Amino acid sequence: MKINKKSFIFGTVFGVAVALILVSVARVFGIHLFIPGSAAQQMYDKAKVVEKCIDSFYQGDIDDEKLIDGGVKGMVEALGDKYSQYYTKLEYMELMSGINGSYVGIGVTLRIQEEDQELVVQQVMEGGPAEAAGIKAEDRIVSVEGTNVVGKKLDEVISMIKTEENKGRTISIGVERKGADGQIEQLEKKVVCKEVKVVSVHSKKYDDVGYIQISEFDKETAGQFKVALENARNDSVKGLVIDVRDNGGGSLETTIQMLDELLPEGELISEKSKKDGNKVYRSTNETCYDKPIVVLINERSASASEVFAGTLQARGAAKLVGTKSFGKGIVQTVLSLESTCGGGIKLTTAEYFLPGGKSIHKKGLDPDINIEYKKPEGDYNPAMDEPLQMALKLIRNPSSE
């Protein structure tokens, strides 16, 4: 198979592997690879050498599109920033559908377990396809449509499930579930992929205290939060418990809107970026919440969750209860490449600081009261949720700390 040289050169120049391959090329062919001029020109010339080697010696079929995407992904990976990423056209479409608050999928939130790198169901959407199929929180995903996904990156697995092409299809999800006796059960679940509307805000009352859980910060979250907050005002509760445990973040713009609903005029966060320099976000004082607030956090509360909880804490508007948060104080921006080469790119573009100039990057937020939630066997029981019970106690009796 002959390579499409124009597209291959364009893609290959961006691969991290280029540098490694070229070392071998130089040794075998005695080629001196230093070329003065721009980085783009040097990469172009290096890519021609690699192209010639592959064209002459590689035994096997070549997928030009995969080479191009792999090359560009490699360039972004070479930044050494785990939060920056290149997205193919399909991956970009799926990413944006999630950010916009709806997507085709099965209605679960997944996480990678740090200790063993296993893929775990963190949350199952109420009334969603996964719940209907019997998938539960803490199930381990081991296969998708018969393909073993153990050891794969989270984004790879998500792209196998969360795609417009799966709309209306029934797919097979292999899961492992730990039983009450400690034995691991192997299960296969048939799930119908559907368009899922993300409900990221859930609210209820614990007698005289309002409770709002926020699972992520997408474009729909601010509106859902505003409704929940208005309901709490109408219910005349003594105060609010806002739960951002296990919330990995999302839109900074959405977070700012939600903080503006809670806080009077004043600084929210400041942001430092290469493009815009220093920028300060402030609340407008159009509305605020003047009753006690307690925010629940844990080690998986990250990014926008930390902006939300940290700003409320720094402004003296809320107490934090739980365990130290993740510590991600940098901002990623998703840039569309649809009008040029297709797909999109997510880059770390800024660092944010809480009111008073505090950075939490790689440090996390320290709770005012440190209590770890120890998940019991069986279904969730709020009476066994010690951080929640402490939060309710603080709202009812602020002097009980």
Side-chain angles (χ1 to χ4, degrees):
M1 174 183 173
K2 201 71 174 175
I3 302 172
N4 181 327
K5 295 190 176 184
K6 183 177 179 182
S7 63
F8 176 64
I9 291 172
F10 180 78
T12 307
V13 296
F14 299 112
V16 176
V18 167
L20 299 175
I21 295 172
L22 285 171
V23 173
S24 299
V25 171
R27 289 174 178 167
V28 174
F29 292 94
I31 300 171
H32 181 63
L33 296 176
F34 176 75
I35 304 171
S38 70
Q41 181 63 47
Q42 291 185 49
M43 286 191 290
Y44 175 82
D45 288 316
K46 288 181 179 182
K48 288 198 296 184
V49 176
V50 177
E51 177 197 17
K52 183 176 180 179
C53 291
I54 294 176
D55 210 6
S56 300
F57 300 112
Y58 180 71
Q59 178 67 32
D61 294 334
I62 297 171
D63 186 320
D64 288 348
E65 188 173 353
K66 286 185 178 179
L67 286 172
I68 294 168
D69 287 335
V72 181
K73 282 180 180 288
M75 185 180 186
V76 178
E77 287 176 4
L79 294 171
D81 175 15
K82 64 181 180 180
Y83 299 113
S84 293
Q85 183 176 351
Y86 169 77
Y87 297 95
T88 65
K89 184 177 179 180
L90 178 59
E91 289 169 344
Y92 177 72
M93 289 172 59
E94 298 305 320
L95 173 71
M96 296 311 295
S97 69
I99 291 174
N100 291 332
S102 66
Y103 62 91
V104 171
I106 63 173
V108 296
T109 303
L110 303 176
R111 73 173 190 270
I112 293 289
Q113 202 108 286
E114 285 193 17
E115 57 268 26
D116 52 21
Q117 295 301 297
E118 289 189 333
L119 190 66
V120 178
V121 177
Q122 180 169 302
Q123 191 174 37
V124 180
M125 182 177 293
E126 187 176 345
E131 184 185 59
I135 292 177
K136 298 181 179 181
E138 301 305 317
D139 281 350
R140 275 131 172 91
I141 304 294
V142 295
S143 68
V144 176
E145 286 290 86
T147 299
N148 189 323
V149 297
V150 176
K152 287 185 178 291
K153 292 182 178 179
L154 180 61
D155 289 337
E156 289 183 75
V157 180
I158 290 174
S159 67
M160 295 170 70
I161 301 171
K162 190 178 169 184
T163 168
E164 289 286 336
E165 295 176 356
N166 278 344
K167 190 171 185 177
R169 287 185 59 211
T170 299
I171 63 172
S172 175
I173 306 290
V175 304
E176 289 183 349
R177 181 178 299 165
K178 188 176 182 180
D181 57 359
Q183 297 297 309
I184 301 298
E185 188 178 5
Q186 304 280 346
L187 303 168
E188 184 175 341
K189 300 294 184 180
K190 300 292 184 180
V191 192
V192 180
C193 290
K194 297 179 180 179
E195 182 172 358
V196 177
K197 297 287 185 182
V198 178
V199 179
S200 53
V201 177
H202 299 269
S203 61
K204 62 185 297 182
K205 280 175 62 178
Y206 286 101
D207 296 324
D208 53 353
V209 179
Y211 171 85
I212 299 176
Q213 181 192 44
I214 306 166
S215 59
E216 62 183 75
F217 293 86
D218 61 41
K219 288 188 177 179
E220 299 295 324
T221 306
Q224 295 173 16
F225 180 74
K226 188 172 184 177
V227 171
L229 189 59
E230 191 59 34
N231 289 339
R233 286 192 178 103
N234 293 336
D235 287 339
S236 299
V237 292
K238 289 184 176 180
L240 279 178
V241 175
I242 303 178
D243 192 343
V244 294
R245 291 177 294 182
D246 299 331
N247 183 327
S251 165
L252 182 64
E253 180 183 355
T254 294
T255 310
I256 297 297
Q257 292 174 25
M258 293 165 64
L259 287 169
D260 194 19
E261 290 283 337
L262 294 170
L263 293 171
E265 199 281 330
E267 181 183 342
L268 297 177
I269 65 165
S270 58
E271 185 181 82
K272 180 180 180 181
S273 70
K274 179 190 289 188
K275 183 174 183 291
D276 298 322
N278 295 327
K279 183 177 181 180
V280 177
Y281 294 87
R282 304 185 68 87
S283 44
T284 63
N285 206 33
E286 291 180 6
T287 181
C288 66
Y289 188 78
D290 58 3
K291 293 181 179 180
I293 299 173
V294 176
V295 182
L296 298 176
I297 62 171
N298 67 4
E299 65 279 4
R300 289 193 290 272
S301 301
S303 192
S305 296
E306 294 173 292
V307 171
F308 184 82
T311 298
L312 290 171
Q313 183 188 44
R315 290 280 299 269
K319 297 286 187 183
L320 305 189
V321 173
T323 52
K324 182 188 282 286
S325 65
F326 182 81
K328 181 173 179 285
I330 50 179
V331 178
Q332 282 70 48
T333 302
V334 179
L335 306 170
S336 172
L337 304 177
E338 289 181 294
S339 62
T340 52
C341 58
I345 185 170
K346 180 177 71 174
L347 293 174
T348 296
T349 55
E351 182 176 4
Y352 71 79
F353 302 87
L354 300 179
K358 178 183 177 182
S359 170
I360 56 89
H361 191 55
K362 297 183 179 179
K363 301 173 185 175
L365 294 169
D366 290 312
D368 296 285
I369 300 178
N370 195 307
I371 303 178
E372 182 180 359
Y373 171 53
K374 298 175 182 177
K375 188 177 185 299
E377 296 291 339
D379 295 334
Y380 173 74
N381 181 354
M384 303 295 290
D385 188 338
E386 291 186 26
L388 172 62
Q389 293 304 315
M390 173 56 73
L392 296 173
K393 184 178 179 182
L394 286 174
I395 296 294
R396 292 171 180 143
N397 183 13
S399 63
S400 62
E401 182 178 346

